[in-house]
Amino acid sequence: MCGIVAAVTERNITDFLLESIKRLEYRGYDSSGLAIINQKKNIIRIRCIGKVNELSKKVKQKKIFGKIGIAHTRWATHGKVSEENAHPHISSNIVIVHNGIIENSLKLRSFLEKKGYIFHSDTDTEVIAHLLHWEQTKTGKSLIEVIQNSKNRLHGSYSMVIMDAYNSSKLIAVRSGSPLVIGLGQKENFIASDQIALLNITKRLIYLKEGDIAIIHSKNIKIFNKHGFIKKRKEIISNVKYKTIGKGKYKYYMEKEIYEQPSSIRHALHHRIKKDKINFSELGYRAKKIFLNIEHIQIVACGTSYHAAMVSKHWFESLASIPCDVEVASEFSSRKLAVRKKSFFITLSQSGETADTLEALRISKKLGYLGNLTICNMKGSSLVQESDFYLLTKAGIEIGVASTKSFTTQLTVLLMLVAKITKLKQKKSNIEKKIANILTTLPFRIEEILKKNNIIKTISHQLCNKNNILFLGRGDQYPIAMEGALKLKEISYIHAEAYPSGELKHGPLALIDKNIPVIITAPKNSLLEKTKKNIKEISARGGIIYVFSDQEIDLEENMTVIKIPYVEEIIAPILYIIPLQLLAYYIGLRKGKNIDQPRNLAKSVTVE
Ligand code: F6R
């Protein structure tokens, strides 16, 4: 989604802004822009559609100089992709970049037009710029007071950074709806929507809390909370190694992140598994008390995180005997809800900023759940800040738009959580020990599967020119089929659909002919015999079958079986997604697609 970087320093800041905004490219965007205030107090703004490299070329031709500036990458929501709609937006002395959506922008726009303001873009951001200018001119108050007073008039989300050409020694940052992080330097300070933009310059960070407004000078900062009181926010030292953010020996971030999974899972397990025990002391005693009371679990998430949640439903029900419902966040928020007795609410998210998931969490708080927990990859994120409890997945920064390592680390943390809750509720159960032992072997198992990459490359060659591919799975393999299909769609733009294997005969069988490949994951479990029947049904209709299995599939049918090393049934979902991730990657690669930034997608979806 939109990326923001800003700086107030004692030196020319243009190069820093360009380098830093480039680092946010991975989040997805369609246009970018930058503005500085020069020594004559003039605002110099340069914007363009397309890549940040285009912006750099334009900026470098103009040789601009300024000690204070802001930059932005835009992912269009209000108004088409155009230079006029790219940020920053200006109203006389006010310059603003914004991440979010102003829901009442049309009403405000017509109010401001009546006051004589002329709009140069279709964006809701320009509405904020004019509103602040109007308030400032009308009241003569300081910009910070004007912002505080205008907050009630803005409905929606509006994380933003503002400069004032009449007072160019400071930046004002407002966190509302999506994160902003301050970077502390030596006689210079920075602000960005993502720490990645700042790590080459500082590791000293302060995450703003929801509703905070910060005044940022080169030598000091002041933060007001949502009630207008001055607050000290904790400074943290980022432990993200700047070097690890590169692609290393890999061609794409997605490839790197697939191969990183053994080490990401080791991080997720580190300090949490000790001698047959799962240690979640990070959750504290209060969580333990709540877990003992749980009679139902409601999980809400989107996309890949939703698929991880679907797998965990099988674990919660089969191991902990706790009924569990899983719902896509946007649907959860769109209907009247009936909450089960003693129900606990869980959100799953890589970014912790997905607007649909955040909205669901906010709704859940009014509904009488026992409490809520988020399983998330980003420590300073909104979901982590707003949840009662959190467990970090510790996957490391994920840059490829298509989630890979965040999925397998979510599953790892979920399985530990299921085992922990099971043990709390069933004192005699040996499940904690069993899961702890199996999970410690998981990174090695994944390393084994990653060695299969050559077979998968060959299959990708056979599949890359197909228009439609069907994925099938049964039980906890059905969410894996869904995730495999999602990966393929995102990376290759091939139409892929997932079905529960048993559902095939209720409709989709009509699709099967010699042109449609069907990919089936079929580990050894009690469902394998039924899956074999499905294989026969497809084969009888001439479908092209690929089966991933740890078993010899003793059928006469014409099919390709890709042998997966044997794994315990319980962790099979975590293992079987790996070949499907590789398959999507290699097909996308063969088709020459932009693997890390698929068209129309953004890494973190901060709009509903
Ligand atoms: C798919 C993908 C998306 C995200 C979804 C939720 O590869 O990345 O489907 O999984 O947008 O994002 P998070 O997990 O950040 O809430």
Side-chain angles (χ1 to χ4, degrees), residues 221-262:
I221 59 163
K222 199 187 266 179
I223 298 173
F224 298 87
N225 72 3
K226 61 179 172 198
H227 305 297
F229 298 118
I230 293 185
K231 278 279 161 191
K232 254 201 133 26
R233 299 282 181 228
K234 200 168 145 206
E235 178 186 327
I236 57 160
I237 305 295
S238 172
N239 59 6
V240 175
K241 292 194 184 75
Y242 181 59
K243 275 193 189 151
T244 62
I245 298 172
K247 283 186 226 152
K249 62 178 183 186
Y250 299 98
K251 193 158 183 213
Y252 285 100
Y253 281 108
M254 183 185 179
E255 185 188 16
K256 177 180 176 235
E257 286 156 5
I258 291 173
Y259 282 90
E260 255 169 20
Q261 289 178 104

Side-chain angles (χ1 to χ4, degrees), residues 364-466:
S364 79
K365 288 183 177 178
K366 299 176 197 146
L367 296 177
Y369 285 96
L370 285 178
N372 61 69
L373 160 84
T374 190
I375 296 178
C376 186
N377 195 31
M378 302 302 283
K379 193 171 181 187
S381 65
S382 304
L383 272 173
V384 166
Q385 288 198 15
E386 292 188 31
S387 298
D388 297 339
F389 306 100
Y390 66 87
L391 287 171
L392 295 176
T393 48
K394 305 188 182 181
I397 286 183
E398 190 178 65
I399 292 190
V401 162
S403 291
T404 50
K405 61 180 181 171
S406 59
F407 181 71
T408 45
T409 49
Q410 279 172 345
L411 287 176
T412 305
V413 172
L414 277 162
L415 188 51
M416 284 191 277
L417 181 68
V418 174
K420 199 72 209 168
I421 295 180
T422 311
K423 179 70 185 168
L424 278 173
K425 287 177 85 74
Q426 303 164 21
K427 299 261 172 313
K428 289 195 179 137
S429 159
N430 67 350
I431 197 73
E432 182 181 9
K433 183 174 172 190
K434 192 174 155 199
I435 299 292
N437 286 329
I438 295 178
L439 279 177
T440 38
T441 68
L442 185 58
F444 306 105
R445 309 287 187 86
I446 294 182
E447 272 156 7
E448 282 301 298
I449 294 197
L450 287 169
K451 289 182 194 152
K452 298 258 163 199
N453 60 354
N454 279 334
I455 306 171
I456 294 172
K457 270 185 204 164
T458 312
I459 299 171
S460 73
H461 191 52
Q462 296 160 11
L463 296 182
C464 66
N465 292 321
K466 300 291 175 191

Side-chain angles (χ1 to χ4, degrees), residues 79-94:
K80 62 179 193 287
V81 179
S82 69
E83 192 170 316
E84 293 72 37
N85 286 339
H87 300 209
H89 289 282
I90 298 177
S91 181
S92 178
N93 52 306
I94 305 276

Side-chain angles (χ1 to χ4, degrees), residues 314 324 368 491 511 544:
H314 291 267
C324 173
I491 301 306
L511 291 172
I544 316 159

Side-chain angles (χ1 to χ4, degrees), residues 302-305 348-352 354 401-403 486-487 490 605:
C302 304
T304 290
S305 299
L348 285 184
S349 175
Q350 187 286 128
S351 61
T354 303
V401 162
S403 291
L486 178 64
K487 289 288 88 87
E490 287 179 297
V605 186

Side-chain angles (χ1 to χ4, degrees), residues 20-47:
S20 296
I21 205 70
K22 191 158 174 49
R23 235 166 280 127
L24 298 183
E25 278 192 314
Y26 80 96
R27 296 168 68 97
Y29 67 99
D30 43 55
S31 49
S32 58
L34 161 159
I36 53 126
I37 299 174
N38 70 11
Q39 277 160 322
K40 291 184 184 154
K41 309 267 181 225
N42 293 326
I43 301 165
I44 316 278
R45 173 179 64 177
I46 299 168
R47 298 175 294 174

